[in-house]
Every structure is written in structure tokens, then in C-alpha cells.
Amino acid sequence: MISQKNIKSVTELEFEQEVIDYLTNIGGVKQWEYKKEINNIDQLWDNFKNILEKNNQARLNKPLSKQEFNQVKKVINNIKTPYEAGQFLYGVNGVSEIEVSLDDDRHVFLTVFDQSQVGGGSTVYQIVNQIVSKPVISGRQERRFDVTLLINGLPIIQIELKKVLHNSNDSLSQMEQYISERQYEGIYSTLQVLIAMTPYDIKYMANTTINQFNKEFAFNWQNENDSNPIRSWKEFSDKVLSIPMAHELATRYMILDGTKNKECIKVMRPYQVYATKKVLDLVKKHDFSFSDGKLGYIWHTTGSGKTITSFKTAWLTSKLPNVDKVIFLVDRIALTNQTVNAYKAYDPISGLTDKSGVISDTANVSDLHNKLNRKTDKNIIVTSIQKMSRYALRKDMKKGKQNILFIVDEAHRSTGDGSDNKGMLEAIRREYPTAAWIGYTGTPKFPETSDVFGSLLHAYTIKDAIADKNVLGFNVEFKETIKAPENPSDEDIDDNIKESIYDRKDEHVELVVEDIFNNWRKRSNDRKYNALLTVHVGGNKPSIPRAMQYFREFEKRNKEKPGADKIKVAISFSQDTSNGNNQLTNNNDLFYAIRAYNEIFGTVFDMSTVKAYVDDVISRLNKTIDDRNYLDLVIVVDQLLTGFDAPELNTLYVDRTLKGSSLIQAYSRTNRIHSAVNKPWGNVINYRWPNQNELEMNKAFAIYSNKDSANKQLTLDEYRNSNQNDNIISKSFSDAKEELKEVVEELKNLTNDFKRVPASEREQNELFSKIREYNILLSKLKQYSEDDNKNPISAYDNPEEFYNLIGMTEEKELILATVLAPELRSSRAKKENVDISEIDLEMIHIREIRIDYDYLIDLIAQLANEVYKTEWDKAEITKEKIDSEVAKSNNESEKRKVRKFVSKIFSQEFEFDNYPVEANVEAISEAMNKMQKDENISIITQFIRDWGLDYSIGPKDLSLLMEKHKIGQEDLDKQGEFTAIMNGAKDTYSSIASKDIAKLTWVKYRIELRKEFYKIADEIKNNE
């Protein structure tokens, strides 16, 4: 037995077999059936065919013929993304079917999946391993998949395993490589969940396309009672991979996100699953006739995915027989569209052709009345609490008797007695006394939220989320611009009550903008991320004039800066229709800001298109705009401080006083996960009342990090220490510096003072782990703008000082980044028998390391001449030198391009026109571009031939068109370009296209051509 051996000596294949044995008999109960005889793709298809025939015996007189089954295979082979796979598996109302024309001229619909039979019925659960898959992309190697879990014969969950001395990142890199090689296509296109497993480190994530793959979205499973991660692979198997949980995870707890240009699937995290189950169980048992309806509330911290959790709750409860309508209440009218759009994107039915889904919003009170009282399959209604309360008070509108479940967003706002805005929920409750109520909040009020909704059902605090790496902690600065009055009262500080010196002094605005410019490169991590600036004037005075003063100050500074140092700034506030004293000024300012925006981005907005302007600002801030011309900073008063999700926003500048839940909400705009190395935390910079605001921040974090701490009163130091220990706020600069110095010393010891990679596997694994730790800690330290004594600090402006601070030198950093790290990656790749690209070890530098292009060109010319003379020993050494030089680049695209060119020279696939090759930068760059263009033209030419486009467009013209393409976008038909190409082939494709394509009907041809066209366009752009 493996369990009797030293765990470190267990091979991956032995570990794999132990996992299989365990999954077949979890808890002594028969679970997954092991199909040892299945070991290649053809056998997988045969197995799926047998199950499909067995489950559809009532519709089939005999087994499917080859021609009949080919129709089934074609549907599955045409699945191009995990999102399309999710749509296929969900089908219509949870039943996935494939239409087949039988040889006897009958048309039948064969059931592939039925979600009502999860864990039972005719559902078949199987496990296979070491499936051999041939290369999809020419030149790639054959692959073997570790463990695949099949449901009704289709791959649904993929497990890649590594032995004990590895971590799950290695398995994730392996699956990322498979995705890049298009291995998860054909029958594997149905994969929904990817699992990276070692004996003590298990993570899971939703399957994804290569351009959306991000290891930061792989999660551990957790215990329900204490949120601690599950470390044992057996315990993970018990809780996640047992039947029916594994099937539920891949279906019931999966989200199909149909957001335009970002279609993907999302698998719920453990706390989301636990919370959803709690609510479902309560609603199932709820008696709508007698109970007071206070089912309770969910406390999930801001940024942890409450929208997904509430959607799944609404979706699943709407299917229960005792629920007639689910009404999702948002706390502000402005959030209604945002929530409706998110819900519709998550609705699996609305993503299907000719289906509008089950989510509906409400245009007005009359529309709400009609949708509430009309019997329809649209039984989830999203509306504002304001509109719902107005409807509740309308005595002329008769309310029907229905079992209604209200799900309330931002439940901490919903308190009061019904006499004012805060009491609107109670007004609704009086009109619907038998309704059930669930609240969702990231920042509950104590004890008010419990009084309104009932007991706490599930908590997931900011402390939990940061520990799980589901959100980031914060690096918070408190800057002093002008001297504030000493010993201010609470009223002096609270800008909801009084105007302060910060609101009156022009110097304050100038110093804030100066600080933002001076530290922009550090805080934005060399312009990788963007920011918000929120401004508020105290004493109920208008804040827009102050916000505009900031806008004009940025304009002034930008005019003084060279292009590379400019900051692209916009301002966002609503058009003023109040008829108040400031209406004219506010609207004139808005018009001024819109015209300035048009000049920067070439847009044509005006006062008639303010909503479109705001939408465009948001798209450029969250980086979803098609033209990829993004904003650096947006100035707001209150907009975007709640409910705005932008993973590539990492900094919030604050010129106001924030407290409690408002502080948590605003700070949380910065802490969405994106890249562990490049975005280690959210930055927040406060510019008024430094001591007092630090106390308010630490108090808020202490309260909202622990549900039991709400009523504890601590000192500032006690709050600060508690929050630092929980990693909610960053350590002091000196502590962070010492932590990095210790890692540098360990690296020095492991590498014999940065001279060599250690020989033993144990030490190599330790070095690999320490280099990763070094990168993360260095990335953090580089984003501090001052030390503990408020002295400026900058790796960008003074790298020598930075090297001395951490006990490093520029030479040692160069050796670590360009020699030791690549050597370590290469060594691990050889031992694991994987491509080096699967070994993830991104390097962060203090001083930017640049390629010596003159030297690189000399080496490439030297290599070409050595290959031409067949001096292979010399060529091998030169190739290694080139690889070391190229390793200095942080630009993966550049590295890939050069390495491909060098590889083709070395393999003699590319030859220069004349030898000996001269070390001429222009000539070799031209040769490299020619090689890439030739390869692209070859791909395009083959595409034209396969699809019968010979009379429609030539390779060069199609290549020119594809130069305009942006990866992941369907952007080459804005003026009918693609449609013209397609229509040009209408009369000829059936006679000149490849055999399989020529058989397609015109409708099917158009659909498939569009998919393949953009796939090829993506491939061409990836090659650049």
C-alpha cells in the first residue's frame, strides 16, 4: 500500500492510482466507476456513444450508425469555449439534447444531460486516466491527461496531479499549457472544472480560454465552520468530488457569465456554496402562511462575489414549488440597471438563441404591478427599493396573493420604521406580511441588520477573504498636505457636518495633485493599473466645484509634462436637473469636462449623451472598451464607490473623511484580485486628518473583519496591530523591508552567493519557492512611497539605495533573473518532462533590465553562420547565450517572437538570402518580421482554401484586414468587411471548400466560418 511508504518517495503514477481507488469508493460507498480500458480519445467517444444510446433507448430502435453518431460528434466538436460548453450542458430548462436525423428519416432529440437527475436516475459517473491526446497544433507534442471524471460519458472535471514536493501551481501551469495547445477540444470541450491536486495542496477553478486563464481564480475548498482551507486530498475528495456534490459543483453551482466580449464560466467558491445551501434549505421549509418571514441575512464582505451568490440564490429558489416570485431589491435606482445586466448575463436561458431568459426589470410602478401579477416564466424581478415601496403604498393597485421571496441587496441600509427613505423596506413588509426576506450585505449594522432580517445565516468577513486570497489587503498612506488645526473635535473631522480647512485651501489641491504625479509610477506599478480620486466638501456645501478644481489642476500639470508622464484623467458626475443655485455652473463644468474627454479619446459626446459619456468613462476605467485606450484616473464625488468592479484598478485617492461601512465599500474598489505579483494589494492614500482617519480606518477594519468584534473598543495601536496581523493592512515599511532582506539572505545561501542552482531536488524546490516569495515581497516594497519616517523612497528614482536597503546588488539581481531563474525553470521542466512554458516563475526587478540589442543581433548573426557551416557545438553554445540575453526581457511576446525565430534558424527551417549573415539590426529585424509574415500568410492561405474563399479574398488582403484585429473581439465587420468576404463565397464554397465544410448548409457555413475566422485572427495576433 502507498500509505505505508514514505510520502516523499511516492511517484505521481502511484499517487494517481491511489486517488482513483479512493474516488471509486468514497466513504465505503460505490461512487465513480473506473474504466481502466479507456485510454485514448476514440475509446472515449465509443464510451459516450454507448451511454447516449442506453439513456435514449425509448427513442432509438438500434444503435446509432456511424453517420448518425457523427451528427452528435459534430455538435460537440463545434463547442469552441467553456461558456458554449456550459450552454450546451444546461440546454433548455436544464435538459441538454442533440437533434439527430436518423437513417430511417426520423428526427429525434437525444438527451445528453438532465439536471433533474443529478446523483441518480440514468446519470452515469465514470473515471478514466492517462488518456492519450494527439497534438492539435502542428509541432506540439502528444499529451496524457492524468484523471478525468466523466458524467454520462463526457469529460466534466479534469484533475492534474503532482507529487508531494510540488504545489498546485505546477498543475495549473500544466493545464494552462494544454489550453494554449487547444487540447481541451473535441470531446474534451465539455470540461467545466479544473482541479490541481497534490497530497496537501488542492485548488479548483472553472475551465477557461487561454486569454482569460488566471491562476488567481483557483481556490482551495474550505471547512464550513471555520473557513480554514482543506489540505488533505482525501478530505477534499469527500467534500467536493463525491457524488452528487461533484455533479452539483459543475452544474448547480456553476455560473454562465454572458457579459459581452467576456463570456466565461465561473464556479462558485466554498463560502458562496455554503451560503446558498443555507438559504435554499430555509426557503424550502418556509411556511408563507404563518411565519414573520425574517429568514436571516448573509454577510459576505465587499468584493467576495455577492452578486453571484445572490443570483444563484434567486435562480435556485425561483425553481422551488413553494415560491411564486423572487424580487431582488437594490438600494438605489442607479444600481438597478447594473444588477439587471449582471443577472441577465448570468441567466443561462437568455444566452440561448431566441430565448429572453427569466430575469426582468421594471420601467415604472405600473410595469412592476403587471410583472408581479402576471403568470410568466420570468419569475425573477429586479427593482429598486424606492420603486417597490411606492408600489406598496399605491392603494389603487390590487396586490395578488403570492408566495414572494424578497432578496435585499446592501441590506445594512434597510432600517427604519417606514416614515423616511430608510424605512422603505418596512413599508413594503406591511403590504406583504407573508413574504419571506433574505438580506445580503458586505457591511452589516450591529444590531440593526439582525433586527430587520433575522439572524446571521453565514459570514465571510474581509479577514476571511484576504486569508483565502479572494480579495487583497490594503497598503494605506495618510499624507499631510497642509497643517490641520490641533485637537479637532469629532464635528470638525466629520465632513458630513462641517467644512474644514482642507475644503478651503487651494494649496491643498495643488499638493494632492503633485503627490499623485510624483508617485504615479510606484503606485500604478509602472502604469499597469489605474485609480479613482474621491472628493467631498463638508458642511453640506456642493462638492462638484472642488472636484472640477482638481480636474483643472490635472489639466494644468499635464500641459507641463512630457507625453510619457501625462495622466489621462476624466471626471464623472450626473447632469444637474435640480433647478438649484448650482445647476448652471455644474452643467457648464460637465460640458467642459466632456469636451476635454472628447479631445483625449476622439469621442463625440455632448450634454444630450451624458449617460453614454459616463458608460464610456466606466469602460475605459475597467478596461473593457473595444479600442483599448484606457483611463489612468477618474475623479468622482460618490459615483463608483460601491458596486463598481475593476480588477485593474489598484489605487484610491481620498480627499474626504470616510467611516465604517462607507470606508470599507470605498476602499474595496481597489482590492479585486488580478495578479499576485503585479497587484499585491489595493493602495489607498488619504489626504486629510491623518491621525484621525487612520483611527477610523483601523476601527472599521477591526469591526468588519470579525463578527464578534463589533462592540469592542480598542486603542489605535491595538486596532493597527490586529489588522496588520490579519494582513488587512500592509506592514510598516521597515517590517516589509526586513522580511524581504531575510528572503534575499536565504536566496544567497541556497545559491552559494548567487553563483549556482543547488543540485538536490529538495533545495531546488526550496529555491523555486523562495524566488516566488522574493518577487511578491519586492513588488510590494516597490509600491511604498515613503519609509516609516515619511522620507521619500523609490526603486524607480533611486535604485542604488533600494539595493542597499534589501541587501542585494544590481549584479546579483541580474544573475538571479537572467541565469539562475531560467536555469531553475529549465531543470524543473526536464524533470517533469513538460514544456518550459509550463513552469511559472515571473521575475520582478529593481532596476529595469534591458536587452542589449546590439549584442543580441551579433549573436543571432553568429548563430546563423554557425548553422550554415554545420558547426553544431558552437551553435549550441551561441543559442544558449541568446536565450540568456532574451531572458532579460519582461515582454513575453517579444521573448516568444525572438525564440521562435532563433529556433527556426537552428532547425534550418529559416534561411537567410545571403551568407555570411551580417550583424545588421535592420536586416535581422526585417528577416524576423518576414519569417512571421510568411508563417501568418501560410496559415491564412490554408484557411482560405479550407473554407472556399479563393474567389472572395486573397491572402494578402485578408492579412491586412486581420492586422486591425484585437484578440478576443469580433471587430472585423464594423463596415461589413467580413460579411462581404462571406457573401463572396456563397455560390462557390460548396464546390471548392474542403470536403467537410463543402457539405455545410449556407446557414451553418456562415455560423462556423465566423467562429473559425476569429479563431484564426486571434492566432495571427498571438504570433505577433
Side-chain angles (χ1 to χ4, degrees):
M1 286 292 293
I2 291 170
S3 57
Q4 296 174 329
K5 297 177 64 173
N6 183 336
I7 187 68
K8 293 182 181 178
S9 67
V10 173
T11 67
E12 277 183 18
L13 285 176
E14 288 174 322
F15 178 41
E16 182 177 298
Q17 191 57 53
E18 187 177 13
V19 169
I20 291 168
D21 292 342
Y22 193 81
L23 291 178
T24 59
N25 194 34
I26 296 175
V29 178
K30 184 180 177 183
Q31 294 269 309
W32 302 88
E33 179 189 2
Y34 179 33
K35 304 294 287 185
K36 187 176 182 180
E37 67 277 12
I38 298 176
N39 51 49
N40 61 46
I41 298 297
D42 288 339
Q43 291 170 339
L44 270 181
W45 281 116
D46 290 341
N47 178 66
F48 169 58
K49 179 175 180 289
N50 292 335
I51 293 170
L52 185 69
E53 290 167 348
K54 183 177 179 182
N55 286 346
N56 290 275
Q57 290 180 41
R59 300 168 187 173
L60 298 172
N61 300 325
K62 56 186 176 62
L64 294 167
S65 68
K66 183 177 181 180
Q67 182 179 345
E68 290 167 341
F69 188 59
N70 279 343
Q71 296 174 57
V72 176
K73 290 177 71 173
K74 189 173 183 180
V75 170
I76 294 171
N77 284 328
N78 283 338
I79 295 172
K80 303 304 180 188
T81 66
Y83 176 73
E84 290 180 17
Q87 287 181 306
F88 165 72
L89 294 172
Y90 182 80
V92 178
N93 296 322
V95 179
S96 173
E97 296 181 317
I98 294 177
E99 183 181 6
V100 177
S101 298
L102 300 178
D103 295 342
D104 60 10
D105 294 330
R106 287 189 299 129
H107 289 272
V108 295
F109 286 88
L110 303 182
T111 299
V112 178
F113 260 65
D114 185 344
Q115 292 203 22
S116 68
Q117 297 190 22
V118 172
S122 60
T123 307
V124 178
Y125 299 96
Q126 298 169 317
I127 184 169
V128 295
N129 70 316
Q130 293 298 310
I131 298 295
V132 176
S133 177
K134 295 176 181 176
V136 177
I137 299 173
S138 177
R140 298 290 187 173
Q141 65 195 80
E142 184 177 87
R143 295 297 187 180
R144 285 178 179 266
F145 306 139
D146 287 352
V147 175
T148 309
L149 302 184
L150 312 176
I151 301 180
N152 283 353
L154 290 177
I156 301 298
I157 299 173
Q158 180 61 33
I159 307 172
E160 291 295 331
L161 305 111
K162 296 292 178 187
K163 57 185 181 180
V164 72
L165 293 177
H166 295 262
N167 66 35
S168 57
N169 268 340
D170 296 339
S171 293
L172 292 170
S173 294
Q174 191 170 333
M175 288 186 279
E176 182 181 17
Q177 182 69 27
Y178 292 166
I179 293 170
S180 74
E181 295 176 3
R182 293 168 49 195
Q183 283 289 346
Y184 294 158
E185 292 190 0
I187 196 167
Y188 268 87
S189 68
T190 57
L191 278 179
Q192 297 289 281
V193 181
L194 308 178
I195 294 176
M197 180 182 286
T198 76
Y200 304 116
D201 184 23
I202 311 97
K203 290 182 178 177
Y204 74 102
M205 65 183 289
N207 191 16
T208 179
T209 57
I210 189 62
N211 62 311
Q212 293 178 316
F213 192 96
N214 188 340
K215 292 177 187 173
E216 304 307 314
F217 294 106
F219 310 107
N220 296 115
W221 198 259
Q222 301 164 331
N223 284 314
E224 184 174 7
N225 56 345
D226 59 13
S227 295
N228 285 329
I230 302 295
R231 291 301 180 195
S232 160
W233 71 266
K234 288 185 177 180
E235 189 176 356
F236 177 86
S237 300
D238 293 342
K239 292 181 181 295
V240 181
L241 297 181
S242 58
I243 299 168
M245 181 58 200
H247 196 162
E248 289 181 334
L249 185 69
T251 52
R252 195 178 202 186
Y253 301 119
M254 186 69 71
I255 300 286
L256 302 181
D257 186 348
T259 302
K260 186 182 177 185
N261 293 329
K262 289 190 172 184
E263 292 86 353
C264 64
I265 56 174
K266 297 175 178 177
V267 62
M268 293 178 76
R269 303 171 194 180
Y271 59 89
Q272 293 173 313
V273 172
Y274 292 139
T276 303
K277 282 183 171 181
K278 279 267 179 78
V279 175
L280 275 172
D281 289 344
L282 281 171
V283 176
K284 280 178 188 175
K285 299 170 186 173
H286 181 64
D287 186 337
F288 282 86
S289 302
F290 303 104
S291 172
D292 70 353
K294 295 182 180 180
L295 299 187
Y297 72 97
I298 304 294
W299 171 13
H300 283 185
T301 190
T302 303
S304 63
K306 287 197 305 298
T307 303
I308 284 177
T309 312
S310 64
F311 167 77
K312 266 300 177 182
T313 304
W315 178 268
L316 294 171
T317 52
S318 73
K319 307 293 181 186
L320 295 175
N322 63 329
V323 175
D324 296 316
K325 296 282 184 184
V326 175
I327 300 178
F328 188 85
L329 292 180
V330 297
D331 74 305
R332 294 194 307 284
I333 294 171
L335 287 179
T336 305
N337 286 341
Q338 182 179 312
T339 305
V340 168
N341 290 338
Y343 269 32
K344 285 186 175 178
Y346 297 157
D347 182 350
I349 294 176
S350 67
L352 299 172
T353 306
D354 299 326
K355 298 287 182 182
S356 60
V358 302
I359 313 296
S360 61
D361 57 354
T362 54
N364 49 48
V365 170
S366 296
D367 187 36
L368 174 59
H369 173 73
N370 291 334
K371 285 174 177 171
L372 261 174
N373 294 284
R374 186 189 307 144
K375 288 192 174 181
T376 173
D377 60 352
K378 286 181 175 290
N379 55 351
I380 300 176
I381 297 171
V382 180
T383 193
S384 67
I385 195 168
Q386 293 88 348
K387 196 178 295 178
M388 190 70 211
S389 65
R390 289 201 304 272
Y391 172 64
L393 296 172
R394 287 282 294 270
K395 301 303 179 185
D396 59 323
M397 291 182 170
K398 187 177 180 181
K399 318 298 189 294
K401 290 187 177 180
Q402 299 182 82
N403 291 348
I404 296 177
L405 171 66
F406 284 97
I407 298 177
V408 183
D409 188 31
E410 302 301 345
H412 59 279
R413 299 176 187 267
S414 304
T415 57
D417 61 4
S419 60
D420 55 20
N421 285 345
K422 289 185 178 179
M424 288 184 282
L425 184 142
E426 290 303 318
I428 299 167
R429 181 172 276 154
R430 284 195 294 269
E431 191 63 32
Y432 289 94
T434 63
W437 296 82
I438 293 286
Y440 278 83
T441 178
T443 49
K445 288 184 177 179
F446 305 102
E448 292 92 336
T449 304
S450 292
D451 292 342
V452 172
F453 290 97
S455 61
L456 174 64
L457 300 178
H458 191 268
Y460 189 72
T461 68
I462 193 166
K463 175 182 174 181
D464 298 326
I466 290 171
D468 295 340
K469 299 180 181 177
N470 285 326
V471 299
L472 303 172
F474 300 94
N475 180 35
V476 187
E477 300 178 53
F478 297 90
K479 309 284 285 191
E480 193 158 28
T481 56
I482 55 178
K483 189 164 180 61
E486 294 183 5
N487 303 316
S489 67
D490 289 345
E491 286 191 359
D492 291 331
I493 296 165
D494 192 339
D495 59 20
N496 287 317
I497 300 173
K498 288 181 70 173
E499 183 185 24
S500 73
I501 186 172
Y502 298 104
D503 299 321
R504 295 188 294 269
K505 292 279 190 178
D506 293 341
E507 182 189 4
H508 175 66
V509 171
E510 293 164 3
L511 290 171
V512 168
V513 172
E514 182 179 334
D515 178 73
I516 291 172
F517 268 105
N518 288 345
N519 294 290
W520 184 261
R521 196 175 174 194
K522 290 189 282 287
R523 291 172 183 148
S524 67
N525 197 352
D526 210 9
R527 294 183 171 268
K528 291 184 181 75
Y529 297 94
N530 52 26
L532 281 172
L533 165 62
T534 177
V535 182
H536 187 267
V537 172
N540 291 317
K541 292 192 174 181
S543 297
I544 290 173
R546 192 65 160 181
M548 282 302 301
Q549 185 178 352
Y550 270 107
F551 183 77
R552 289 186 169 93
E553 185 65 24
F554 275 107
E555 279 192 313
K556 174 185 163 188
R557 298 294 178 101
N558 270 326
K559 288 175 183 175
E560 301 165 357
K561 300 281 183 182
D565 294 336
K566 292 181 189 295
I567 298 176
K568 286 185 280 188
V569 180
I571 188 166
S572 180
F573 56 88
S574 300
Q575 192 167 0
D576 193 335
T577 58
S578 66
N579 294 324
N581 294 333
N582 297 301
Q583 178 172 308
L584 180 61
T585 302
N586 288 347
N587 287 337
N588 284 341
D589 282 341
L590 181 57
F591 186 43
Y592 177 89
I594 290 173
R595 284 190 298 177
Y597 186 86
N598 289 338
E599 285 183 24
I600 297 173
F601 296 106
T603 48
V604 289
F605 300 112
D606 56 30
M607 295 302 285
S608 68
T609 55
V610 172
K611 184 180 183 302
Y613 160 73
V614 173
D615 290 343
D616 200 77
V617 167
I618 290 171
S619 294
R620 293 187 193 279
L621 185 61
N622 66 18
K623 299 192 176 183
T624 58
I625 196 80
D626 285 346
D627 67 12
R628 300 191 179 190
N629 190 3
Y630 305 131
L631 275 161
D632 294 318
L633 182 140
V634 174
I635 303 167
V636 299
V637 178
D638 292 313
Q639 285 185 356
L640 307 183
L641 296 184
T642 60
F644 177 64
D645 189 6
E648 292 180 73
L649 186 149
N650 81 329
T651 303
L652 175 70
Y653 297 100
V654 182
D655 187 19
R656 65 190 300 170
T657 299
L658 293 169
K659 295 181 179 181
S661 62
S662 296
L663 182 147
I664 299 292
Q665 292 282 349
Y667 279 30
S668 295
R669 296 317 101 206
T670 69
N671 75 337
R672 303 302 196 264
I673 58 174
H674 184 255
S675 163
V677 172
N678 292 316
K679 188 184 177 185
W681 49 39
N683 294 310
V684 182
I685 298 86
N686 290 276
Y687 291 108
R688 57 173 68 191
W689 306 114
N691 295 330
Q692 293 81 2
N693 276 332
E694 185 179 6
L695 176 62
E696 290 298 338
M697 177 200 72
N698 280 293
K699 193 187 299 183
F701 280 138
I703 289 171
Y704 289 110
S705 66
N706 186 338
K707 63 183 179 182
D708 299 321
S709 69
N711 298 313
K712 292 181 181 178
Q713 297 298 316
L714 306 174
T715 67
L716 173 58
D717 284 343
E718 288 171 328
Y719 280 131
R720 185 192 294 121
N721 292 337
S722 172
N723 291 329
Q724 284 182 350
N725 290 337
D726 291 335
N727 294 314
I728 295 171
I729 59 173
S730 61
K731 299 176 180 178
S732 67
F733 177 82
S734 57
D735 287 346
K737 178 194 70 175
E738 289 304 315
E739 188 177 8
L740 181 54
K741 278 183 75 173
E742 288 178 15
V743 173
V744 169
E745 190 63 27
E746 289 175 280
L747 288 173
K748 179 181 177 182
N749 294 334
L750 282 167
T751 59
N752 191 22
D753 198 18
F754 298 94
K755 290 185 176 70
R756 59 169 178 78
V757 171
S760 77
E761 184 178 358
R762 180 189 63 78
E763 286 185 315
Q764 284 188 12
N765 286 330
E766 188 178 351
L767 176 61
F768 193 86
S769 175
K770 286 298 171 187
I771 291 176
R772 275 183 168 163
E773 188 179 356
Y774 167 84
N775 285 325
I776 291 170
L777 293 176
L778 178 57
S779 180
K780 287 181 176 181
L781 204 67
K782 283 177 70 177
Q783 291 183 39
Y784 284 87
S785 65
E786 55 190 24
D787 63 19
D788 297 349
N789 297 317
K790 303 294 183 182
N791 298 313
I793 190 79
S794 173
Y796 298 101
D797 300 333
N798 194 348
E800 293 303 329
E801 180 186 7
F802 219 83
Y803 283 122
N804 293 332
L805 282 170
I806 66 169
M808 182 61 103
T809 67
E810 183 176 1
E811 181 185 14
K812 288 174 181 176
E813 180 188 54
L814 193 63
I815 292 169
L816 180 65
T818 65
V819 179
L820 300 180
E823 188 179 324
L824 184 61
R825 289 180 73 216
S826 178
S827 174
R828 283 177 74 98
K830 285 177 183 175
K831 284 177 183 172
E832 298 296 323
N833 193 27
V834 297
D835 190 276
I836 194 169
S837 61
E838 293 184 31
I839 308 299
D840 180 24
L841 196 62
E842 182 182 358
M843 294 303 299
I844 298 296
H845 312 295
I846 294 173
R847 190 193 294 276
E848 189 173 355
I849 298 175
R850 296 183 181 275
I851 292 176
D852 183 340
Y853 282 98
D854 291 335
Y855 177 51
L856 179 62
I857 294 300
D858 286 342
L859 289 174
I860 292 174
Q862 181 180 324
L863 175 70
N865 293 326
E866 287 165 350
V867 169
Y868 182 70
K869 295 175 184 176
T870 66
E871 296 173 346
W872 295 111
D873 290 342
K874 291 182 180 178
E876 203 56 77
I877 294 169
T878 305
K879 186 170 179 289
E880 288 179 9
K881 289 180 179 178
I882 292 171
D883 199 53
S884 294
E885 190 63 28
V886 171
K888 295 177 182 178
S889 173
N890 281 328
N891 187 325
E892 289 299 322
S893 176
E894 179 184 49
K895 286 197 283 192
R896 191 166 53 244
K897 184 177 180 180
V898 174
R899 283 173 173 159
K900 182 191 285 188
F901 182 53
V902 168
S903 176
K904 286 186 179 289
I905 293 172
F906 191 77
S907 64
Q908 298 179 297
E909 292 176 70
F910 180 86
E911 294 183 357
F912 287 86
D913 294 334
N914 298 300
Y915 288 89
V917 176
E918 293 184 11
N920 181 287
V921 174
E922 288 184 7
I924 288 182
S925 295
E926 188 178 325
M928 198 183 312
N929 290 332
K930 181 179 181 299
M931 178 272 300
Q932 192 58 66
K933 282 183 180 178
D934 288 347
E935 186 173 312
N936 289 346
I937 288 291
S938 177
I939 292 169
I940 289 170
T941 301
Q942 189 61 48
F943 170 73
I944 287 172
R945 287 175 182 165
D946 288 346
W947 288 87
L949 302 173
D950 307 62
Y951 301 121
S952 184
I953 193 168
K956 288 186 178 178
D957 288 337
L958 187 52
S959 177
L960 286 171
L961 177 62
M962 287 184 173
E963 284 179 7
K964 303 175 185 176
H965 176 61
K966 292 182 174 66
I967 293 173
Q969 308 290 319
E970 291 196 1
D971 53 3
L972 298 179
D973 201 26
K974 291 180 179 178
Q975 296 177 335
E977 302 97 320
F978 171 73
T979 299
I981 295 168
M982 182 170 58
N983 289 339
K986 183 175 183 180
D987 297 329
T988 56
Y989 83 89
S990 58
S991 58
I992 63 174
S994 66
K995 188 176 177 181
D996 288 342
I997 293 170
K999 289 187 213 171
L1000 297 175
T1001 64
W1002 172 238
V1003 172
K1004 198 72 173 170
Y1005 174 84
R1006 290 165 58 194
I1007 294 169
E1008 298 307 318
L1009 174 60
R1010 181 178 291 274
K1011 290 179 185 176
E1012 194 63 26
F1013 177 78
Y1014 283 109
K1015 183 192 283 188
I1016 292 293
D1018 281 351
E1019 184 179 346
I1020 296 296
K1021 296 305 284 189
N1022 273 319
N1023 285 340
E1024 292 180 355

